[in-house]
Amino acid sequence: MAESPYELLGVAPDASADEIQKAYRRLAKKSHPDLNPGDPQALDRFKAISSAYGLLSDPEKRARFDSGEIDASGAERPQPRYYRDFAADSAEQPYT
């Protein structure tokens, strides 16, 4: 399973915006591709860290991620369907 944005940055889910920013800056300096020219995975790590910071630094996106509305990439998660949803769908469509 992929790491959550919180795990990537090494912060707790209740971390403040300042803690998230400090963690991002520390990790970005450490894993920046220009500072790791011999490491082919540095760019991938840097992109993952930047993506996690982009999600967690935006209060709206962070709230939506925490509530399960979007995934770590920022993509919408499909809403779960319940029996009542299927029942409502079939009531609208008469049998032919």
Side-chain angles (χ1 to χ4, degrees), residues 35-55:
L35 300 176
N36 296 288
D39 186 356
Q41 297 173 346
L43 180 60
D44 292 335
R45 278 195 313 268
F46 185 75
K47 284 181 181 180
I49 291 165
S50 296
S51 177
Y53 178 68
L55 181 80

Side-chain angles (χ1 to χ4, degrees), residues 67-90:
S67 69
E69 293 178 33
I70 59 174
D71 62 18
S73 71
E76 296 285 330
R77 287 190 173 159
Q79 296 300 315
R81 294 205 56 184
Y82 299 99
Y83 175 75
R84 66 179 176 268
D85 298 329
F86 292 106
D89 288 347
S90 65

Side-chain angles (χ1 to χ4, degrees), residues 3-15:
E3 287 183 287
S4 79
Y6 295 107
E7 292 170 338
L8 278 170
L9 296 179
V11 297
D14 62 349

